[in-house]
Amino acid sequence: LAESGAYNGSGFHRLVPGFMIQGGKAKVKAESSLWGPAFADEFDDRLSHSEAGMLSMANSGPGTNLRQFFVTFKACTYLDKKHTVFGRVVSGMDVLREMEKVPTEKKTDKPVHEIKINSIEVLTNPVKKAEEKERERIEERVQAKQIKESNRGGPAKAPKALPVSTKISSGVGKYLSQALKKKAKDGKADEESDTVRRLPPPPKKTKYSNFSGW
């Protein structure tokens, strides 16, 4: 959204001194996210509302993230696991302090003097980097699987069994026929046993405040 210019010219519509300033509200009533509908929360124990200047998603309950966000004026750790932290102020804390001093309307918390975003410049897009890394990871896994299958090869084909006559004759020929049957039977068993031994092994199992209405 930031790269598309969706926030350019938009104002901060809610300011609570000692808490946060909220912005990103769309001009139309029916707000939407980058993907259209609301998206799920993305919590990470390494990211916390631990200090002033933390950038986090505004929502009206679990899984209701759209496009609004807020910047904290102080630590608000009670918002952890309720709002998704996705950035922080790295420069310009003095500007944030000046924003906190702007008076507001009592009923709406709207700043009396307009505070707005003129434009946004995205220096590095972490989403694109993450997508590239995930694509590389998938390609590496596919290649590794192909190499493994190539080195392993498929199960060896068992040789065809010798043909055996089922006709039993009398005399010495009768015993020769029975011996051939037994030999063929034993050979088939050996083939089956050898085939089983050559099969690849089976794969191993691996295993705060409410922002609603704003």
Side-chain angles (χ1 to χ4, degrees):
L1 286 176
E3 284 186 319
S4 69
Y7 295 112
N8 293 355
S10 66
F12 288 89
H13 60 281
R14 186 184 179 206
L15 191 163
V16 181
F19 176 37
M20 60 88 223
I21 185 168
Q22 184 175 344
K25 189 174 183 179
K27 295 180 180 180
V28 296
K29 289 185 178 180
E31 289 191 336
S32 61
S33 69
L34 176 62
W35 302 276
F39 57 92
D41 301 309
E42 299 177 9
F43 301 134
D44 190 316
D45 291 335
R46 296 169 298 178
L47 304 176
S48 171
H49 302 82
S50 57
E51 59 183 320
M54 299 307 295
L55 185 61
S56 186
M57 289 299 296
N59 61 46
S60 56
T64 58
N65 301 283
L66 288 170
R67 53 171 286 155
Q68 292 190 37
F69 60 87
F70 64 93
V71 185
T72 60
F73 288 138
K74 60 179 293 184
C76 308
T77 53
Y78 50 85
L79 296 181
D80 292 351
K81 300 298 178 69
K82 295 179 181 178
H83 296 270
T84 300
V85 176
F86 65 96
R88 66 184 178 88
V89 176
V90 295
S91 178
M93 284 298 294
D94 54 330
V95 176
L96 186 64
R97 293 303 177 199
E98 289 301 313
M99 291 166 66
E100 187 178 12
K101 296 176 183 178
V102 175
T104 60
E105 298 176 359
K106 291 183 178 180
K107 292 183 178 181
T108 63
D109 292 326
K110 182 179 180 179
V112 173
H113 306 297
E114 184 182 39
I115 305 174
K116 70 176 183 179
I117 299 171
N118 291 323
S119 63
I120 295 177
E121 180 183 359
V122 179
L123 302 177
T124 303
N125 189 331
V127 175
K128 288 184 178 180
K129 283 190 173 182
E131 288 176 346
E132 290 175 2
K133 287 185 177 180
E134 180 65 12
R135 185 163 45 250
E136 291 174 359
R137 186 184 67 83
I138 292 173
E139 290 176 355
E140 289 174 358
R141 289 182 63 183
V142 171
Q143 291 177 359
K145 184 178 180 181
Q146 291 175 344
I147 293 173
K148 186 176 180 181
E149 290 178 349
S150 176
N151 293 336
R152 178 193 297 174
K157 293 183 178 180
K160 294 181 179 180
L162 294 173
V164 178
S165 174
T166 56
K167 184 177 179 181
I168 301 176
S169 60
S170 59
V172 176
K174 175 177 70 174
Y175 298 103
L176 288 174
S177 179
Q178 291 177 351
L180 287 172
K181 284 183 179 181
K182 184 176 185 304
K183 185 176 180 180
K185 183 178 180 181
D186 293 341
K188 185 177 181 181
D190 290 340
E191 290 167 10
E192 291 177 350
S193 176
D194 185 58
T195 301
V196 171
R197 285 196 299 270
R198 295 190 186 191
L199 287 174
K204 296 181 179 179
K205 294 183 179 180
T206 61
K207 328 187 308 194
Y208 279 115
S209 174
N210 187 0
F211 282 79
S212 62
W214 296 97

